[in-house]
Structure formats: C-alpha cells, structure tokens
Amino acid sequence: MIFGRSDRRKAPVEPVTLKILVAGGFGVGKTTLVGAVSEIRPLRTEEVLTEAGRPVDDTAGVEGKNTTTVAMDFGRITLREDLVLYLFGTPGQDRFWFLWDELATGALGAVVLADTRRLEDCFAAVDYFEKRSIPFVVGVNCFDGADRYPAEAVRQALDLDPDVPVFLGDARDKESVKEILIGVVGHAAEAAERRQPATT
C-alpha cells in the first residue's frame, strides 16, 4: 500500500524538561508565583506559623502572612510543545536553607524573587547562585502600595553583574510570570554558550 503525503503522521514530540528554582526571602511571593503559572495543581508544603517560631521568623513587612513553606513548592508549565519547565520554590527562611542544595541539583537556572520593601532579604539567594555558577534572573514582585524602582536601580542596589536580567512583574499574573521564566531559559542558554570552549 502506498501512502500519500497526507497519510504521513508526525511522530509525537518528546518535550525537553528543564528544572527552574524560584528563590528569595520569606513572604516575597514564591508560592504565589508557582501557583500562578502551574498547569497542574501545585504541590505545596505550607505550615501555619506558630508562636514557637516567632523568635526566628522575621515577619517584618509581611505581618499578615500566617503560613510558610517548609520544604518546597512544585509546579509545571509548558512553554512550547517541546519545552516543559518544572518549577521548584525554595523555602525562604534561614532554618530551611539546608534543603536548597538538594533542590538546586540539576537546575538549569533560577528566579530570585525580590520585594523592594525588603530588598536585603534576597541577598542570600543572589550569593547562593553566584557562588554555584547557576544562571539566575531577578524578578521584582511589584506589590500593591510598594515604591516602584526602575530595573537598573534594583540592579545597582543588589550589586548584580551587568549580564543578569532584572524583570519587573507581578507574581499573581500568569503572563508576567511567563515572561520572567522565558527570561531565565534564555539567560541560561546564553550562559551555556559562553562556557563552550572556542573551536578553531
């Protein structure tokens, strides 16, 4: 039997899956960001803040927050037919940082989420990824009522390298988050190209 052109079926595309971390300080919006774009029901490991944790949990600036991520958030988003991102939100408090090394294993890149009202809270995440040479972008979560600053002002305040992209966005908005994630993938690809040895 002879098959015409119309009878040929395309082989299914096996998507490339990439691991992206979402990091930053306590209460900056990591869980919200993962939930805003995930096409599956996000896995969350949130627990209620207790009086016992009050001496070690800095809630300044996020007094209304009553839960915290104790292990990770997990979500998935398909950017293209051939590209799927697995999102891992890290815990923001110092006492859970021992989990970061495990979560960072195999990560293509990261989003460091920042709040301009508490910019110093993301210094630890910036240092973490710089020391491990994991490509990252900074996503400024523009909270209602917070002062707005241009991306370049945030870059200077965080003392970022010139090639680190800075995005202004809203962790609640799917399109805004997608733009940040596309930025991570692009930045990581550029970093990988720079690491390739020159051929003669």
Side-chain angles (χ1 to χ4, degrees):
M1 185 176 184
I2 300 175
F3 292 95
R5 192 181 298 265
S6 61
D7 294 320
R8 295 178 187 160
R9 296 189 178 180
K10 290 183 180 178
V13 176
E14 188 67 31
V16 174
T17 56
L18 303 174
K19 181 178 184 180
I20 302 293
L21 297 188
V22 181
F26 174 60
V28 77
K30 300 178 296 293
T31 299
T32 300
L33 183 149
V34 172
V37 294
S38 181
E39 61 200 22
I40 62 171
R41 183 176 180 183
L43 169 66
R44 294 182 171 146
T45 57
E46 287 199 306
E47 294 293 335
V48 175
L49 291 170
T50 63
E51 283 298 319
R54 191 170 295 279
V56 292
D57 295 333
D58 182 9
T59 58
V62 286
E63 291 82 0
K65 186 170 172 60
N66 57 14
T67 61
T68 185
T69 299
V70 296
M72 67 172 185
D73 298 309
F74 173 76
R76 168 190 161 128
I77 177 174
T78 302
L79 287 183
R80 299 191 311 250
E81 181 184 3
D82 61 344
L83 181 60
V84 173
L85 302 185
Y86 290 144
L87 307 177
F88 289 81
T90 65
Q93 294 156 288
D94 300 12
R95 57 196 167 114
F96 298 122
W97 281 355
F98 67 92
L99 294 166
W100 282 39
D101 287 341
E102 191 68 32
L103 291 173
T105 301
L108 173 81
V111 177
V112 175
L113 207 55
D115 177 353
T116 57
R117 299 169 301 180
R118 299 175 295 122
L119 205 54
E120 66 280 0
D121 289 359
C122 71
F123 287 161
V126 169
D127 289 343
Y128 181 90
F129 297 121
E130 284 181 342
K131 288 176 181 175
R132 288 158 182 80
S133 298
I134 297 175
F136 69 95
V137 306
V138 171
V140 179
N141 191 10
C142 298
F143 285 88
D144 295 338
D147 290 336
R148 303 292 176 102
Y149 299 94
E152 195 53 40
V154 175
R155 176 189 310 285
Q156 291 176 11
L158 293 176
D159 194 25
L160 299 174
D161 289 339
D163 66 322
V164 176
V166 177
F167 296 88
L168 307 180
D170 185 338
R172 301 167 298 182
D173 180 71
K174 182 175 183 177
E175 293 306 313
S176 179
V177 174
K178 280 177 68 175
E179 181 182 347
I180 294 171
L181 295 175
I182 290 168
V184 177
V185 174
H187 180 56
E190 290 171 4
E193 284 181 13
R194 287 195 296 271
R195 288 195 297 266
Q196 292 292 332
T199 57
T200 55

